[in-house]
Amino acid sequence: MSRSKGLLLTWMCLLLFSGSLQAGKVGNLYQSTVPVTGQDTNERSAAIATALTQVLIKVTGESRLEERPETRGLLSGASGFVQQYRYEKRSHPSPLPDQAPVDALYLHVQFDSNAINEALRKRGLPVWGDVRPSTLIWLAVEQGAQRYLVAADSEPGIVTELREASARRGIPILLPLLDLEDQAALSVADVWGNFRASVLKASARYQPDAVLVGRIYRQSDGLWEAAWAFYHDGNSSSWISSGALSSQVLAQGLEGTADLLAARFAPIGLSLSGGEFLLRVEAVDSLEDYARLHRYLGALQPIKSLTPDRITAGEVQFRVTLEGDYRILQQVIGLTNQLQPIAAAGGSASLEQPILPTLRYRLVQ
C-alpha cells in the first residue's frame, strides 16, 4: 500500500471517533408551530399546510413562496412531509385587566428535511443551509421624549419580538451588551442618525456578518414607524416600515433583512444543477486537522458528497459534488473562520481550471 493511501485510510478511520460540527448552525428550520382552535382532521390538515409554508419560507429564503407556481403541489400534499406532530397548550396574558391568563391551543409539526430538500431541488428552488450569516441589531426606540437603545438583556418585550421574527425566517441575530465599552463607542444619537462609520466601528467587537440599524417611534396618528439600514459585505440597503403594532414594524425589519441575505446566499434562478469540483486545502498538518476539516465540510449544505482524493504533506484534496453553484459554497465558507481562501485576482478562493475545476483554501489554525 502506498504511503498516501495508508494516510488516507488512517485519517478516515479517525473520523469514526470524532464528534459533529455544531457551531454556527440555525436550528428548527424544518419545524413550525401554528395556532389552532381544535383537533379535528380538517383543521389539522389546514394547520399542517400553514406550518409547511412557514418552513419552506425559512428553508428557501423566499418570502413570497406561496405566489410561486412551483410550490402548489408541495402545499397541497403537505401531510406527506410530516414526520411527527403534537398539540400544545400555552398560556398568554389576558387582554383584560385583572383577568386570569388565557389558554391557547397550538399544533407543532416536524417535517422530513430530506424529503423537503429533494422536492425543492426538483422544482429548481434553493435550499438555504443551516450555516447562515449573523446580524447584529442596533435599535433605537423613542417613547415620548425619551430615546434609548435596546440591549440583549433589556426591554424583554422588544427583544422577544425580535427573536421571534428572526426565528420565523431562520436568521441568527445578535443584540449588543450596551456595556461601558459600547457606551463609550456609540451613543443613542449615533444609532438614531444612522452614522455608518460609528456604528460599524462599534460593531466590530461582535464580529457579525451583517449589521442592521433601526429607529422606531410612534407617530401622532398612533401608528408605529421604523427606519432601517442594513450593512453587509460593503453594501448597504435602507427601507421604512410602519404598522399599528410595534411587533409588526419590528417583524418588517427582520423580513427585509432575511430577504436581502437570501438574495445573496439562496438566490432563485442560479444554477441548481450542481457539479463536481476538486477542493484543495493546505495547512492540514495532523490527524486532528484532517478530522476537523472533514467534519466542517461534511456539515455544509451545498456539499452533496465529499470524497478524499489525495493526501500529501500538509495538503488534502477532496472530490466534491455540489448542490448548486460553486459560488454559494464560497459564500457559505466565507461565513466561518475555518478556511482562508488562497485568493485569485478577484480576492475570492482561486478557481483553477484543470481537468476538474479546483477551489483552493488554507485551514485556519
Side-chain angles (χ1 to χ4, degrees), residues 176 186 318:
L186 201 64
F318 295 96

Side-chain angles (χ1 to χ4, degrees), residues 274-278 305 319-322 356-357:
E276 193 171 60
F277 293 81
L278 296 178
S305 67
R319 189 176 293 263
V320 178
T321 303
L322 298 180
L356 285 177

Side-chain angles (χ1 to χ4, degrees), residues 213-293:
V213 182
R215 67 179 188 219
I216 181 171
Y217 52 94
R218 199 166 199 165
Q219 302 180 99
S220 57
D221 59 4
L223 294 178
W224 287 89
E225 184 168 291
W228 302 99
F230 179 74
Y231 302 104
H232 175 251
D233 199 21
N235 300 311
S236 63
S237 301
S238 59
W239 64 97
I240 302 291
S241 59
S242 60
L245 301 175
S246 62
S247 59
Q248 296 172 332
V249 176
L250 294 173
Q252 290 170 29
L254 271 297
E255 288 287 329
T257 298
D259 287 344
L260 289 167
L261 290 173
R264 174 75 182 274
F265 292 94
I268 290 180
L270 196 62
S271 172
L272 296 175
S273 57
E276 193 171 60
F277 293 81
L278 296 178
L279 181 63
R280 190 175 301 160
V281 183
E282 298 179 3
V284 184
D285 299 322
S286 67
L287 298 179
E288 291 78 10
D289 286 346
Y290 178 80
R292 176 164 64 92
L293 174 63

Side-chain angles (χ1 to χ4, degrees), residues 30 37 40 64 75-76 137-138 140 144 172 175-177 190 192 200 202 230-231 233 243 262 270 280-281 286 334:
Y30 295 88
T37 60
D40 64 86
R64 298 182 177 179
L75 298 176
S76 62
I137 301 176
W138 295 98
L175 290 166
L177 298 173
D190 291 328
W192 192 267
L200 295 184
F230 179 74
Y231 302 104
D233 199 21
L270 196 62
R280 190 175 301 160
V281 183
S286 67

Side-chain angles (χ1 to χ4, degrees), residues 277-278 280 342 344 349-360:
F277 293 81
L278 296 178
R280 190 175 301 160
I342 298 177
S350 170
L351 182 62
E352 301 174 354
Q353 296 290 337
I355 299 175
L356 285 177
T358 303
L359 290 171
R360 299 183 61 216

Side-chain angles (χ1 to χ4, degrees), residues 21-248:
L21 177 73
Q22 296 297 331
K25 289 190 175 184
V26 179
N28 304 326
L29 286 177
Y30 295 88
Q31 55 186 270
S32 183
T33 302
V34 296
V36 293
T37 60
Q39 301 186 26
D40 64 86
T41 302
N42 290 337
E43 183 168 4
R44 182 168 63 246
S45 296
I48 287 174
T50 299
L52 180 60
T53 300
Q54 295 175 356
V55 164
L56 293 179
I57 290 172
K58 284 193 291 185
V59 173
T60 64
E62 174 55 49
S63 58
R64 298 182 177 179
L65 198 74
E66 291 176 281
E67 300 175 9
R68 303 192 65 86
E70 305 99 310
T71 63
R72 290 171 188 161
L74 287 175
L75 298 176
S76 62
S79 296
F81 294 98
V82 175
Q83 277 189 331
Q84 59 183 4
Y85 68 86
R86 67 177 183 270
Y87 289 96
E88 301 175 350
K89 283 187 176 180
R90 300 180 183 178
S91 294
H92 300 280
S94 173
L96 301 175
D98 302 323
Q99 296 294 316
V102 177
D103 288 335
L105 186 63
Y106 291 84
L107 179 67
H108 178 83
V109 189
Q110 173 71 51
F111 293 96
D112 185 331
S113 60
N114 292 328
I116 287 178
N117 292 350
E118 182 180 0
L120 290 171
R121 288 172 178 140
K122 283 182 178 179
R123 290 161 173 79
L125 293 170
V127 175
W128 193 1
D130 52 10
V131 178
R132 299 189 175 188
S134 62
T135 299
L136 174 66
I137 301 176
W138 295 98
L139 180 63
V141 181
E142 180 181 83
Q143 288 190 337
Q146 182 185 13
R147 292 176 181 172
Y148 58 89
L149 298 178
V150 175
D153 60 353
S154 69
E155 298 299 321
I158 292 178
V159 171
T160 297
E161 290 169 353
L162 288 172
R163 296 200 184 282
E164 289 179 349
S166 67
R168 285 195 294 270
R169 293 298 300 270
I171 301 298
I173 62 170
L174 306 169
L175 290 166
L177 298 173
L178 293 187
D179 56 7
L180 293 177
E181 183 175 347
D182 281 343
Q183 293 174 41
L186 201 64
S187 68
V188 177
D190 291 328
V191 176
W192 192 267
N194 184 28
F195 294 127
R196 175 174 179 164
S198 298
V199 168
L200 295 184
K201 184 177 180 180
S203 301
R205 67 178 294 206
Y206 296 98
Q207 298 184 324
D209 299 299
V211 176
L212 178 66
V213 182
R215 67 179 188 219
I216 181 171
Y217 52 94
R218 199 166 199 165
Q219 302 180 99
S220 57
D221 59 4
L223 294 178
W224 287 89
E225 184 168 291
W228 302 99
F230 179 74
Y231 302 104
H232 175 251
D233 199 21
N235 300 311
S236 63
S237 301
S238 59
W239 64 97
I240 302 291
S241 59
S242 60
L245 301 175
S246 62
S247 59
Q248 296 172 332

